[in-house]
Amino acid sequence: MIDPPTREPGSAEREVELDQTVDYAIQFLEEEAHLIGWRRAEFLASIIDVANARLATLDEESRLTGATPVGDEADGKCLP
């Protein structure tokens, strides 16, 4: 369902490629959820909640282990 990246980290093309990949995956999940009875808005809101919780967990793990913060080290961006 998800193809591997074909561009180098930090490139604008890689960011576009990732956005397209995530958009496709979300569309697929949203449609599947809707077909079995979930409302689209509640499903998408839950994706946001779960993604934020997973990011917080990654951030906490990096603080505990002293690892590099979550983000793209190539361009210096770090996620909250």
Side-chain angles (χ1 to χ4, degrees):
M1 184 166 121
I2 296 175
D3 294 326
T6 61
R7 308 297 181 155
E8 293 298 317
S11 71
E13 293 87 5
R14 183 181 173 107
E15 193 171 324
V16 169
E17 184 178 39
L18 179 58
D19 287 347
Q20 291 172 341
T21 298
V22 171
D23 184 57
Y24 172 78
I26 296 295
Q27 284 180 17
F28 178 81
L29 291 171
E30 177 191 349
E31 187 61 30
E32 289 292 311
H34 182 70
L35 288 173
I36 62 171
W38 295 104
R39 291 178 309 180
R40 293 177 190 273
E42 73 181 336
F43 185 78
L44 292 171
S46 183
I47 288 174
I48 292 168
D49 293 343
V50 170
N52 284 332
R54 293 182 64 88
L55 283 170
T57 299
L58 288 174
D59 191 45
E60 181 64 21
E61 287 174 359
S62 70
R63 277 198 296 268
L64 291 173
T65 63
T68 304
V70 176
D72 187 352
E73 297 81 14
D75 64 8
K77 293 181 187 173
C78 291
L79 301 174

